[in-house]
Amino acid sequence: MDRPHRHRGAPAGVLLAAALALAGCTPAGDGPAPGGGTGAGGAGTAAAALGELAVAPAGSSSGYERDEFGRSWADTDGNGCGTRDDILARDLTGVDREDGCTVVSGTLTDPYTGTRIRFERGRSRIDIDHVVALSDAWPKGASEWDRSRRTRFANDPLNLLAVEARANRTKGDGDATEWLPPDESFHCAYVARQVAVKKKYELEVTKAEKAAMEKVLADCPGERLPTGGKPQAPDGGGDGGGSGSTGSTGGSGSTGGSGGTVEYANCDAVREAGKAPLHRGDPGYTERLDRDGDGVACSG
């Protein structure tokens, strides 16, 4: 922010500033805020935390694969339920669950569009969005992590929101320079969550990304950093395949509920196992079974 111009008719102020400069001091209010933040909103705000993030050009996206972040929706908190169902249960109201985990219905007030969406398993218009996309995190620091840390990141509730599917897919892997939610009233909270995630995981921001975030937060300097869960490292190797992960508990093509990989030869096998339809993130879901690419396999 530009400093206000000083009037020439204020020699006392000029002399004071000169004296402080000679003494190696900075007049109050002209220096950085205590703690290294921007000072725009004070300690604990998104604006202050943004000032603490490392700024650097994005690295290479070479080597990025979704699998580098572990199996989708691993049970990293050890509660016996996959992350997708945990987030649906957190963000929806009027939730109906079966088997203690699977969310079969509920209602979402979508933060990205402000609309209310009815969720029914098998006819879902709701995605679980990584607020900081995995492919955005990769060139900004995540490529240097081990598999365990990437799995925790991909399943951290702080970085996840249940949202309207079309808005999520429009976003893709864009950062704040490329995409903000259609509902402008959510811009501050959205950017604050991105800042919180990047601060927690020590991810970098580009110069343009930081400027875009600052522009949003200028309208809400007191916006607080959100808090989220602290998922546990998965048991047995750190790739999301530990003993707490969910899986099919029987049926053709399944390895059971011990955390192994669930595979189905075809949709007939999925139906015989009583698991149709499969949603993206469900054990056993593959793009091979999802022929129309809508995120729901074996729905016909």
Side-chain angles (χ1 to χ4, degrees):
M1 180 180 295
D2 293 335
R3 298 181 186 179
H5 295 291
R6 299 184 187 274
H7 296 290
R8 293 184 179 179
V14 173
L15 290 173
L16 175 61
L20 288 169
L22 288 171
C25 301
T26 303
D30 285 352
T38 64
T45 64
L50 176 57
E52 298 171 357
L53 298 183
V55 179
S60 172
S61 295
S62 177
Y64 169 75
E65 297 286 346
R66 172 61 182 84
D67 289 347
E68 292 291 337
F69 289 82
R71 187 173 57 79
S72 297
W73 310 134
D75 175 23
T76 53
D77 62 4
N79 69 349
C81 301
T83 301
R84 181 176 184 273
D85 283 304
D86 283 343
I87 300 303
L88 287 172
R90 183 195 69 182
D91 292 355
L92 273 58
T93 58
V95 171
D96 182 26
R97 305 180 81 161
E98 65 181 22
D99 66 30
C101 284
T102 305
V103 175
V104 295
S105 64
T107 301
L108 173 71
T109 299
D110 174 37
Y112 286 178
T113 64
T115 59
R116 286 174 60 84
I117 304 171
R118 180 65 181 170
F119 172 83
E120 293 184 14
R121 196 170 189 86
R123 294 188 293 276
S124 174
R125 294 185 292 122
I126 294 173
D127 283 351
I128 306 301
D129 180 38
H130 288 97
V131 178
V132 175
L134 306 185
S135 52
D136 177 54
W138 181 264
K140 297 175 182 177
S143 62
E144 303 299 320
W145 302 344
D146 61 23
R147 179 66 67 88
S148 178
R149 183 172 176 82
R150 289 198 290 259
T151 298
R152 293 196 300 273
F153 176 80
N155 291 276
D156 190 337
L158 178 63
N159 193 32
L160 298 171
L161 289 174
V163 299
E164 193 263 343
R166 185 164 39 189
N168 179 46
R169 295 169 196 183
T170 299
K171 169 189 172 181
D173 61 0
D175 63 22
T177 65
E178 301 167 303
W179 190 89
L180 290 170
D183 186 352
E184 293 185 6
S185 68
F186 192 64
H187 284 188
C188 287
Y190 176 78
V191 169
R193 187 169 290 267
Q194 287 194 323
V195 172
V197 170
K198 295 210 166 191
K199 177 179 173 63
K200 179 176 180 178
Y201 287 91
E202 300 179 331
L203 289 168
E204 298 167 346
V205 291
T206 65
K207 183 177 180 180
E209 181 183 6
K210 182 179 180 181
M213 289 175 157
E214 287 176 334
K215 183 177 180 180
V216 170
L217 295 176
D219 292 333
C220 46
E223 184 76 28
R224 310 296 294 180
L225 282 179
T227 58
K230 298 179 180 178
Q232 303 168 9
D235 295 332
D239 64 353
S243 61
S245 62
T246 58
S248 175
T249 56
S252 175
S254 169
T255 62
S258 61
T261 301
V262 180
E263 296 181 359
Y264 296 102
N266 49 45
C267 283
D268 287 340
V270 176
R271 296 186 185 97
E272 288 176 10
K275 298 299 180 181
L278 290 172
H279 296 76
R280 183 178 286 113
D282 287 348
Y285 171 91
T286 65
E287 293 182 357
R288 172 177 58 82
L289 298 175
D290 183 8
R291 295 186 178 182
D292 59 4
D294 66 350
V296 182
C298 306
S299 58

